[in-house]
Amino acid sequence: MELARRIEAIFLGYGRTLTDTDDAEGYEIAMGIVLVMLDGARARGVIDDAQHAELTATFEETKRAPRHL
């Protein structure tokens, strides 16, 4: 919940809010792209499996921020 509030504060600074359906959808799409980028980094050997697992778990939780508001 604290993470969701911190992310929401950033959005509010831009005049947006994750409680808006369109803003939340855009945010979740962007976070999905981050997850695809992590997959690419692992495939290229930039990060190993353990790093990929840790980062993926972190970003998966971050992606769910709008649902916690």
Side-chain angles (χ1 to χ4, degrees):
M1 189 65 152
E2 176 61 28
L3 177 61
R5 284 193 294 264
R6 292 179 72 189
I7 294 168
E8 175 68 352
I10 294 167
F11 267 70
L12 290 171
Y14 286 96
R16 302 289 195 164
T17 177
L18 292 175
T19 60
D20 176 82
T21 304
D22 290 338
D23 289 346
E25 182 179 32
Y27 172 79
E28 290 184 11
I29 290 168
M31 292 306 300
I33 292 168
V34 169
L35 293 170
V36 170
M37 292 169 57
L38 288 175
D39 291 344
R42 181 180 57 180
R44 290 189 323 276
V46 175
I47 59 175
D48 62 30
D49 288 341
Q51 292 167 322
H52 179 268
E54 181 71 24
L55 290 168
T56 297
T58 299
F59 283 111
E60 290 268 353
E61 181 60 30
T62 303
K63 182 179 179 183
R64 290 189 285 274
R67 300 175 200 164
H68 295 291
L69 296 173

